[in-house]
Amino acid sequence: NKLIARDFYYLGLAKLKKSTAADGKITDATQMNSGLEDVKKAIEMEPTTANELNELGKKYFSSKSYGVAASIFELALSNPNSKNSLEDNIYYGLCVYTENKSKDAASMDKVAMDKADKAMDNVIVAKPDYQEAYLYKARINNSLEKDDIMAVNYQKYVETISAKGAEETTKNKAK
């Protein structure tokens, strides 16, 4: 008779699984959205539930379902005290960028891209020597046509790589 956060969490996970094919592609968007809403209710009732979403998000990320993965990581980020907060910010930013990078300016989700930019800011504050955060922040801002921010972050990326030595520079030359 008494609903608890776990009830919504497992109901949401079941709906997510049912709405996805074996290859990770969405087969039922309505079911997917309903599952995400149930997981959101669980997190609202018990914020520590967000700690458990990291692995699920990575699963969708590895199957190249970036939109679904972004939604899951966004839910995980609703608890800023999560033990996976840094990694969730990284994956969220990557998912949103990857989902939007090939779209034109009219069809790009600019709100999500702004959130991804803020996620990379969170990573930079927490771990300033993590070079990929600068790279993806620059790429996100390039897509948003914010050239001044893009240039600053590409410069910080180059400086971070250069500070690590010639071997790191050679390894990251293609980027």
Side-chain angles (χ1 to χ4, degrees), residues 108-175:
M108 183 183 302
D109 186 349
K110 291 182 181 174
V111 173
M113 290 289 276
D114 283 334
K115 287 181 185 178
D117 184 44
K118 286 178 180 54
M120 288 300 143
D121 284 338
N122 294 338
V123 174
I124 291 168
V125 167
K127 198 168 180 185
D129 63 335
Y130 183 64
Q131 65 215 27
E132 301 298 316
Y134 296 109
L135 176 65
Y136 281 99
K137 182 171 176 61
R139 289 179 177 176
I140 289 166
N141 283 289
N142 182 40
S143 296
L144 292 170
E145 298 175 350
K146 296 180 180 177
D147 294 340
D148 53 335
I149 299 170
M150 174 200 59
V152 168
N153 283 284
Y154 272 129
Q155 183 62 41
K156 287 182 181 178
Y157 174 72
V158 170
E159 290 169 2
T160 306
I161 295 289
S162 299
K164 293 182 178 181
E167 183 179 324
E168 192 71 22
T169 304
T170 305
K171 188 170 86 175
N172 288 287
K173 215 166 211 142
K175 293 180 183 173

Side-chain angles (χ1 to χ4, degrees), residues 2-19:
K2 183 181 177 200
L3 293 175
I4 58 174
R6 287 274 173 225
D7 294 335
F8 287 108
Y9 179 71
Y10 288 118
L11 176 63
L13 292 183
K15 288 179 181 179
L16 290 174
K17 186 167 183 138
K18 188 174 180 183
S19 67

